[in-house]
Structure formats: C-alpha cells, structure tokens
C-alpha cells in the first residue's frame, strides 16, 4: 500500500456530495457509503482489498484502472481521513456494478439516510372481555398490554376477596368483601349488612373495587398460567339493591369466589342487602407502575 503522503489531488463527486482528499469521517461505514455512491454515479464497481481497524483501501476490480481511495484512522482525533484519491479510468474494461452491489448500496442508503417514519396514531380503543373500551389514560404503549383481558378475567375467577371503596358526604369506607362476577350483566355482586358502606351506596352509587394477584390463590394461578402480576381497579355504579336477599352466592357452584360453607354467614341470610355494581371503567397497573385506563363504550 502506498504511504498516505503519496497521493494525487482529486475529488470524486456523487449526487449531493463528493469524496474529497483530506475529508474526515466519523466512521468507516459512512466513508464506504460515499465511495459506493460515487461508483454508482459513474456506473462502475468497487472492491476493498484492505479494510481493517486502521486502513481502508478501495480499488476498481479492473487491475488496469487507476481508481484508488486510501483512508486511515487518525488515532489522536478518532476520525477516518482520506489520504489518496484517484478516479476511475472510465474505459470499457471496468466492470459495471452488479445487481447484488446495487442492492447493498440501496440498503446503505436507507441505513444512513432513513426515510422519516410517519407518526403512528395512538390507539384509542381496544376490544376485550366481549366489550369495546376507549383508552382514556395510561403511561405505557397499548402493545405492552396484550392479553390484559385474560389477566383481568383470571383475577375475577381466582381472587377470593376484593377491596370495596364507597363514599358519601365526607364519610369514606373501605371494606374487604366476598364478591361474585356476573358476565351477563357485566357486574360485581356483593352482600352486605346495613352498615356505613350500605348507606354510602344508597346515597352515592359510584364505587371502586380493587383486585390483585400479588398473593394467595390468584398469585399461584397467575404464576402457573404465565400471567403477569397485576392490580386492577374496577369503577362502577350500583344499579340494584335488594334487601333481605339470600340468593347472592351459591357456594356449591364451581368457579365462584367462595368455595366453602365456612364463610356463608358473611354474605347470606336475613338482614343482608345484595348490591350489583355495573362496571364502567378499569384501571390496570403492573409491578413496574405502568398503567392503562379504559372506559367501557355504551
């Protein structure tokens, strides 16, 4: 290889620029890209007989052609500098670029000058649990929530207890409750004595219910089913209250939340009120704090 100081002063143009003697490049790939553009612009091929971490030598496949480009990596400044430039002879003996090389050059063109991507429209609705939901909030892309409906249904099936939040006239109440999921009416059903939460629901039907699979049977089922840890808040409105109802939960029915007569007294018997809460909105939060808020479309 010639010494870098033994050069001829030539500039090799290509559409939009040129490979110039003394030009500096941040990386070798960019330099090779410009060399490829020049060769394609004159309809000639190129090969690289020497290419390593310090040197780059570009030549024409025709040994009689004068085309050469030398470049060397400058350690002190960390750039590639063109030290010799000699143009193609442009005679008929120089081979034209092969189809494969043109494809490669096109790939380089896309790599170094990518076409600006169109802004992707945010997804505003999603289907799940047999309903259409509008996305009304959240701090993570919707694609990260694939399978959310399966996870929510798993919570409804395997959680034995939930947290019910009610409020009226500055009197909030948080209760640990047995519940039943009714898919047909898209409702959660509770049985409660006539206490503060009952009075709150009578006066203000807007309630919130929290389920999670961080512990207990729901955690085991989610782990075995390959489902992620999740907390879901159900927002709904009480649309039916029946006093002295005893039919709230059939403890012998498979799949229901209560599986033992041991706790039947907590939700059956006289003096209890059965409340149905129709679910209107969901808030999903994973263990990383990412959230997704969905509102059921009427």
């Amino acid at each position: 290889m010639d010494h870098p100081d033994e050069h001829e002063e030539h500039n090799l143009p290509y559409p939009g620029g040129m490979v110039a003697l003394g030009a500096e490049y941040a990386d070798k790939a960019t330099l090779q890209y410009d060399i490829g553009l020049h060769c394609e612009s004159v309809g000639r091929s190129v090969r690289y007989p020497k290419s390593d971490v310090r040197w780059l030598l570009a030549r024409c496949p025709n040994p009689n052609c004068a085309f050469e480009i030398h470049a060397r990596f400058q350690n002190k400044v960390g750039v590639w500098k063109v030290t010799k430039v000699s143009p193609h002879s442009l005679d008929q003996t120089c081979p034209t670029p092969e189809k494969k090389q043109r494809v490669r050059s096109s790939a380089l063109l896309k790599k170094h000058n990518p076409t600006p991507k169109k802004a992707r429209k945010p997804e505003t609705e999603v289907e799940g649990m047999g309903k259409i939901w509008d996305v009304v909030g959240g701090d993570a892309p919707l694609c990260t929530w694939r399978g959310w409906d399966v996870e929510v249904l798993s919570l409804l099936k395997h959680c034995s207890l939930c947290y019910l939040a009610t409020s009226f006239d500055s009197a909030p109440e948080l209760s640990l409750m047995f519940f039943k999921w009714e898919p047909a009416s898209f409702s959660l059903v509770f049985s409660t004595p006539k206490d503060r939460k009952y009075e709150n629901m009578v006066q203000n039907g807007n309630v919130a219910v929290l389920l999670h699979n961080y512990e207990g049977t729901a955690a085991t089922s989610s782990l075995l089913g390959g489902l992620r840890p999740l907390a879901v808040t159900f927002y709904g409105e009480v649309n039916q209250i029946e006093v002295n109802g005893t039919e709230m939960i059939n403890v012998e029915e498979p799949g229901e939340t209560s599986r033992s007569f041991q706790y039947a007294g907590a939700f059956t018997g006289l003096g209890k009120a059965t409340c149905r809460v129709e679910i209107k909105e969901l808030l999903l939060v994973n263990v990383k704090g990412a959230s997704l808020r969905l509102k059921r479309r009427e």
Side-chain angles (χ1 to χ4, degrees):
M1 175 179 293
D2 296 334
H3 191 272
D5 291 335
E6 299 173 359
H7 55 254
E8 299 176 21
E9 297 189 6
H10 288 285
N11 295 331
L12 305 182
Y14 60 84
M18 64 175 60
V19 182
L21 180 66
E24 295 180 345
Y25 290 83
D27 55 75
K28 186 168 62 173
T30 305
L31 172 57
Q32 288 179 289
Y33 168 71
D34 284 358
I35 294 173
L37 278 183
H38 163 72
C39 292
E40 284 203 352
S41 68
V42 298
R44 292 295 180 263
S45 187
V46 62
R47 64 187 182 91
Y48 298 97
K50 186 171 181 64
S51 177
D52 56 32
V53 294
R54 297 185 59 195
W55 286 93
L56 178 66
L57 171 60
R59 280 181 176 163
C60 179
N62 178 12
N64 298 321
C65 180
F67 173 74
E68 274 191 351
I69 295 179
H70 293 192
R72 185 174 183 179
F73 183 71
Q74 309 294 309
N75 289 319
K76 292 184 179 180
V77 291
V79 297
W80 286 83
K81 185 174 182 179
V82 178
T83 59
K84 179 176 180 178
V85 175
S86 181
H88 280 278
S89 300
L90 297 182
D91 57 30
Q92 297 300 320
T93 60
C94 294
T96 57
E98 299 175 357
K99 182 178 180 180
K100 183 177 180 180
Q101 180 181 334
R102 288 184 179 274
V103 173
R104 182 184 177 191
S105 297
S106 299
L108 282 172
L109 179 63
K110 293 179 181 178
K111 177 180 179 182
H112 292 277
N113 296 281
T115 303
K117 295 183 178 179
K118 294 182 180 179
R120 187 174 182 180
K121 293 183 180 180
E123 297 183 73
T124 58
E125 65 177 43
V126 63
E127 185 175 358
M129 302 173 67
K131 305 291 181 180
I132 300 296
W133 302 80
D134 292 317
V135 179
V136 295
D139 52 12
L142 195 57
C143 61
T144 63
W145 291 98
R146 291 191 180 96
W148 66 270
D149 52 338
V150 175
E151 295 168 332
V152 172
L153 289 173
S154 177
L155 289 180
L156 292 169
K157 180 179 180 180
H158 296 290
C159 286
S160 300
L161 297 167
C162 70
Y163 299 92
L164 172 65
T166 61
S167 178
F168 177 73
D169 195 22
S170 303
E173 184 78 1
L174 182 64
S175 309
L176 189 62
M177 303 287 291
F178 289 104
F179 70 95
K180 177 182 179 181
W181 168 242
E182 288 188 348
S185 60
F186 216 74
S187 301
L188 292 172
V189 186
F190 306 95
S191 183
T192 176
K194 290 185 174 182
D195 52 10
R196 176 183 287 183
K197 64 177 175 293
Y198 169 79
E199 296 297 333
N200 285 348
M201 286 189 288
V202 171
Q203 301 297 327
N204 177 16
N206 296 312
V207 302
V209 180
L210 175 66
L211 297 178
H212 66 81
N213 59 359
Y214 296 141
E215 59 184 359
T217 305
T220 303
S221 300
S222 298
L223 179 63
L224 295 177
L227 304 179
R228 59 188 150 189
L230 191 67
V232 180
T233 303
F234 300 79
Y235 301 90
E237 182 178 355
V238 178
N239 60 11
Q240 184 179 7
I241 298 179
E242 299 176 1
V243 182
N244 296 329
T246 59
E247 78 292 355
M248 208 287 279
I249 290 181
N250 179 0
V251 295
E252 296 180 302
E253 185 177 349
E256 297 298 344
T257 54
S258 180
R259 294 170 177 81
S260 172
F261 285 100
Q262 179 181 357
Y263 305 108
F267 49 84
T268 61
L270 297 176
K272 298 292 193 302
T274 300
C275 306
R276 283 177 171 81
V277 178
E278 184 179 1
I279 303 304
K280 304 288 188 178
E281 193 171 324
L282 300 177
L283 174 62
L284 289 72
V285 182
N286 64 20
V287 290
K288 296 182 179 180
S291 64
L292 175 66
R293 189 179 290 273
L294 303 172
K295 186 174 182 179
R296 183 164 67 93
R297 188 174 299 179
E298 299 295 339

